[in-house]
Amino acid sequence: MKKNLAILFGGRSAEYAISLLSTANVLAQCRQLAEYEIFLLGISQSGIFYEYHGPDDRIPTDEWLADPQFVQPIAFLPGSLKGYRRQPARPGRMPSDQPIDIFFPVLHGQDGEGGPLQGFLEVLGVPYVGCKYLSAALMMDKAYANMIFDQGHLAQTPWLSLKRQSSLPNMDDLSQEMEARGVCFPLFVKPANTGSSVGISKVTDPAKLAQALNLAFSFDSKLILENAVVGRELEVAVLEDTDGQLIVSPPGEILPGHDFYDYEDKYASDSQSQLVLPASLSPDQDAEIRSMAAQAFRLADCCGLARVDFFLRAEDQAFLINEINTMPGFTAISMYSKLMALAGLSPQDLMRKLLQSAY
């Protein structure tokens, strides 16, 4: 008997468009899995849940909500229904219930991968792909993630966090704190709870720091400052198999087309960035970075999947952890699926293992 699989997409975060692109690729692969009946659940940018039953190709172009005949509002009834209830399209019609066996939340950003949705799915009591709500929330918040990396003695670049007050921090006080923490220019200013490089600035001139702070604070009430690293950007994909063992991919390298790997460089159709698969490393370096990725995955109490990002610092060839992405992108140019292919998993096999591991 087929299992009912609900693929969730969209959401209210700044990474809504990336969710749509990722969903198109996840859906194309899941369509090949005969053991699942697929239901598509879209979340509008205003936060309304719909069941979508239109053409697949309307999702990546953000046309899925354009035609009312393809969408129907739904509601969830935690405690009484492990699934959702379709709201009647016209007065006098009865609602209908749809049980779900497993959810695949293909969402990026705070609401989608940062814990709130995971906690909601926990309340529904239905298995879902990806990390649980606590590890998702902690890894989404870069300040908390960095604290955990520090506690686990994983090397990283110097950093500090700031919270928004009624005005920007006093620059003299901030300068003293930066000096005490070893944070210096050039540096990156990042919102603590966004992904896909949204709201991030590279600052080389101290006179432009306030501008970068304002930009980051427009996306989040908390941000981090961290030293820019001169070196190579490397990523490792981690998959938790059904027996709890980790499949750790060979590392891949990103050659940014811009000054750093920003949003446009990641997702624009004319991006000049390049992916080197696998990265050119010595056997010892390969073993070290894969071991660090597995250590980080366990340290953060991740499950299901994650992509662990590193820098290889040029001056001393030391690996520095950058971040853990608990729901990495699945767009056509995203790294996670490509790295898992290096580990021997076809796209369909990857989807099957992700769904199986959720149980």
Side-chain angles (χ1 to χ4, degrees):
M1 180 180 295
K2 288 187 176 183
K3 290 183 172 67
N4 291 334
L5 164 64
I7 297 177
L8 283 157
F9 65 90
R12 297 184 301 174
S13 86
E15 296 166 73
Y16 169 87
I18 308 307
S19 170
L20 303 187
L21 296 175
S22 289
T23 298
N25 287 284
V26 168
L27 179 57
Q29 303 307 324
C30 288
R31 292 283 191 207
Q32 308 302 312
L33 305 181
E35 62 266 42
Y36 293 98
E37 184 75 26
I38 296 176
F39 299 84
L40 295 172
L41 305 184
I43 307 173
S44 72
Q45 289 181 286
S46 60
I48 300 175
F49 285 72
Y50 296 92
E51 183 181 56
Y52 173 68
H53 46 85
D56 291 353
D57 60 8
R58 287 191 171 207
I59 295 175
T61 59
D62 195 17
E63 298 174 281
W64 66 278
L65 267 174
D67 194 332
Q69 68 172 320
F70 294 138
V71 293
Q72 186 170 5
I74 60 174
F76 295 89
L77 304 174
S80 61
L81 175 61
K82 291 188 175 183
Y84 58 91
R85 174 165 291 176
R86 300 179 183 91
Q87 302 301 298
R90 292 192 295 272
R93 295 289 184 92
M94 294 296 292
S96 60
D97 292 343
Q98 179 58 60
I100 294 296
D101 296 303
I102 184 170
F103 284 94
F104 194 151
V106 191
L107 290 93
H108 307 300
Q110 171 59 26
D111 287 346
E113 64 177 307
L117 182 60
Q118 287 72 20
F120 176 67
L121 296 176
E122 291 279 346
V123 172
L124 284 182
V126 182
Y128 58 92
V129 173
C131 294
K132 302 306 179 186
Y133 64 93
L134 181 58
S135 56
L138 291 173
M139 292 302 100
M140 173 56 66
D141 189 311
K142 297 178 181 66
Y144 279 114
N146 286 357
M147 292 179 199
I148 291 171
F149 299 152
D150 280 343
Q151 289 293 314
H153 305 292
L154 288 173
Q156 58 183 323
T157 192
W159 66 280
L160 64 84
S161 65
L162 294 174
K163 294 200 73 173
R164 181 169 56 201
Q165 307 297 330
S166 58
S167 60
L168 287 180
N170 179 281
M171 289 301 170
D172 289 336
D173 293 342
L174 178 57
S175 178
Q176 291 179 16
E177 186 176 1
M178 289 169 57
E179 184 176 358
R181 295 290 299 269
V183 177
C184 57
F185 297 94
L187 55 80
F188 283 98
V189 178
K190 301 180 179 181
N193 287 281
T194 65
S196 300
S197 299
V198 173
I200 292 179
S201 302
K202 184 176 182 180
V203 183
T204 58
D205 181 355
K208 296 184 178 180
L209 180 56
Q211 179 182 348
L213 295 177
N214 275 319
L215 174 63
F217 277 135
S218 71
F219 288 94
D220 195 4
S221 61
K222 182 165 62 173
L223 53 81
I224 64 169
L225 282 66
E226 62 184 27
N227 287 3
V229 177
V230 177
R232 299 163 64 183
E233 295 189 42
L234 302 162
E235 298 182 350
V236 179
V238 182
L239 171 68
E240 186 177 35
D241 210 343
T242 52
D243 60 0
Q245 298 300 306
L246 299 184
I247 300 172
V248 183
S249 78
E253 182 172 3
I254 298 167
L255 303 178
H258 294 171
D259 188 34
F260 68 96
Y261 198 39
D262 61 10
Y263 184 95
E264 182 180 353
D265 207 23
K266 288 179 178 180
Y267 301 115
S269 58
D270 60 350
S271 170
Q272 299 301 305
S273 66
Q274 300 177 49
L275 306 182
V276 180
L277 303 168
S280 178
L281 297 172
S282 71
D284 286 347
Q285 288 176 317
D286 181 84
E288 181 181 359
I289 193 173
R290 293 168 82 168
S291 175
M292 287 182 68
Q295 180 186 354
F297 189 94
R298 295 299 193 200
L299 179 68
D301 198 25
C302 294
C303 60
L305 77 162
R307 194 193 69 232
V308 189
D309 299 348
F310 295 91
F311 298 112
L312 179 57
R313 192 163 54 195
E315 64 183 79
D316 56 4
Q317 295 297 291
F319 287 113
L320 306 177
I321 190 166
N322 180 20
E323 64 179 0
I324 294 179
N325 192 314
T326 59
M327 184 51 69
F330 283 94
T331 73
I333 60 173
S334 294
M335 185 75 97
Y336 187 86
S337 296
K338 297 177 185 296
L339 291 173
M340 276 298 152
L342 292 179
L345 290 178
S346 69
Q348 291 86 3
D349 288 340
L350 173 59
M351 290 300 130
R352 183 174 283 111
K353 281 189 175 293
L354 285 171
L355 292 166
Q356 290 171 344
S357 72
Y359 289 97

